[in-house]
Amino acid sequence: MNGRRSWIARRLVLGAVQTAAVVLLVFALTEALPGDAAVAFAGDQPDPERIAAVREAMGLDRPAHERLAEWVLGLLHGDFGTSLTSGRPVSGFLVDGFGPTLLLAGLTVLLLVPLGIGLGVLAARHEGRFTDRLISSATLGVYAVPEFALGVLLVSVFALRFGWLPPTALGYGDDLLAHPTVLVLPVLVLLARPVCSLARLVRAGMIEALAAPWTAQARRYGLSGTRVRYGHALPNALAPATQQLARTIDWLLCGVIVVEALYVIPGLGTVLMNAVADRDIPVVQGLAVVFGLATVVLNLGADLVTHRLAPRSGVAA
């Protein structure tokens, strides 16, 4: 028990250090971006005096360390800053984009977990036979197709060719749940590659666990094949799959820019693209911090779940 608490404490400290590193890295990288909001706000072919006046009005002429200290102090109080181009709080942009992205991510994960685990277990149970070869070949083939190419293909077939589904979310507003057909193609694109990688990881973990000495020992004790398979082998197979699932959720929550752009989904990816185009640094910084925190929290949670499922896996602190 003391060892587990010590391990959790080390992981929490590491998460805090990673969070601080994310904040500093985000500020440094955004400072290195070419141009700023003053250039975009000043209009086409502005004179240097106009740019200087806009920079002064926006506070961009202040030293970097002063702006960093003010920004970090605001983050500690839950204030992500104010947009340079619109004057809105950055948190408003996050709230606007978070709903559609969370909806897509949630639907994808709800389908991903049973499909990925089910296909992996099915392939492992029929190792080397037709079912295993079919699942392995199909998952490898689908995984090799990039999201953008798959998205264009699905639009061409199901939206333009047959007219079964809308090609984009344009014209349907922000309430995507009121128009579920809009979500079908984006969710299919988001689901395609993660379900393949998760199924292959579960398959490999199940095969390795079923071949382990402790599994054979459990059979010698008279445990049924079903109990050995699902009560002992599957939890150990899910340990590496949990790490993959955390990376997938992180990828989804951080705004799948390609998918959101292709289907005109007003999510966090779209907010990020607009902010970069406008050189709206506070919005870019706020989004980057949220994405970084999501990565740290999700990986920390995945490590805790992995350590609980398979303590002997030895997840590094």
Side-chain angles (χ1 to χ4, degrees):
M1 182 63 69
N2 290 333
R4 176 175 295 179
R5 290 177 179 174
S6 175
W7 180 86
I8 293 175
R10 291 198 304 272
R11 289 297 291 119
L12 291 175
V13 171
L14 180 60
V17 172
Q18 290 172 333
T19 301
V22 165
V23 171
L24 293 176
L25 184 62
V26 165
F27 186 85
L29 291 178
T30 50
E31 282 291 304
L33 287 174
D36 55 30
V39 177
F41 190 77
D44 296 333
Q45 298 180 342
D47 59 84
E49 294 182 359
R50 168 67 173 164
I51 294 178
V54 174
R55 286 179 58 83
E56 182 179 359
M58 291 182 170
L60 298 175
D61 58 338
R62 298 165 55 201
H65 67 275
E66 291 184 9
R67 288 184 282 114
L68 173 62
E70 181 180 357
W71 182 54
V72 171
L73 186 62
L75 289 178
L76 293 176
H77 291 85
D79 181 11
F80 288 89
T82 304
S83 167
L84 295 177
T85 57
S86 67
R88 290 181 59 199
V90 173
S91 57
F93 289 91
L94 298 178
V95 171
D96 291 344
F98 190 70
T101 298
L102 182 63
L103 177 60
L104 287 175
L107 290 174
T108 303
V109 172
L110 284 176
L111 296 172
L112 169 64
V113 172
L115 281 175
I117 295 177
L119 288 173
V121 171
L122 183 62
R125 288 192 61 185
H126 299 84
E127 181 188 3
R129 286 179 276 178
F130 174 76
T131 302
D132 180 26
R133 292 195 297 269
L134 178 62
I135 293 175
S136 298
S137 300
T139 53
L140 182 61
V142 173
Y143 189 84
V145 181
E147 287 88 359
F148 182 79
L150 180 60
V152 171
L153 177 63
L154 292 179
V155 168
S156 301
V157 174
F158 295 104
L160 303 181
R161 175 69 175 176
F162 297 112
W164 294 343
L165 298 167
T168 69
L170 192 63
Y172 289 91
D174 296 333
D175 189 7
L176 300 179
L177 274 179
H179 310 280
T181 55
V182 174
L183 300 170
V184 174
L185 294 182
V187 169
L188 285 177
V189 175
L190 294 177
L191 185 64
R193 300 188 77 188
V195 77
C196 295
S197 57
L198 184 63
R200 295 175 69 86
L201 274 175
V202 172
R203 173 192 177 276
M206 280 285 289
I207 292 174
E208 181 180 357
L210 290 173
W214 52 267
T215 305
Q217 184 69 18
R219 290 195 183 97
R220 284 194 291 268
Y221 283 143
L223 297 181
S224 65
T226 300
R227 185 174 178 182
V228 170
R229 188 180 301 114
Y230 298 108
H232 296 273
L234 184 58
N236 282 271
L238 291 179
T242 302
Q243 300 286 333
Q244 177 63 32
L245 185 60
R247 287 190 291 269
T248 300
I249 297 174
D250 175 41
W251 172 67
L252 292 169
L253 287 179
C254 291
V256 187
I257 297 177
V258 172
V259 175
E260 289 184 353
L262 179 62
Y263 294 101
V264 199
I265 303 292
L268 293 177
T270 302
V271 173
L272 178 60
M273 287 193 300
N274 293 336
V276 171
D278 294 337
R279 302 294 192 274
D280 201 344
I281 298 303
V283 177
V284 176
Q285 289 176 334
L287 286 167
V289 167
V290 170
F291 294 163
L293 287 175
T295 300
V296 171
V297 171
L298 286 169
N299 280 283
L300 175 61
D303 285 349
L304 294 175
V305 173
T306 301
H307 190 72
R308 181 68 180 87
L309 288 174
R312 54 180 166 272
S313 62
V315 178

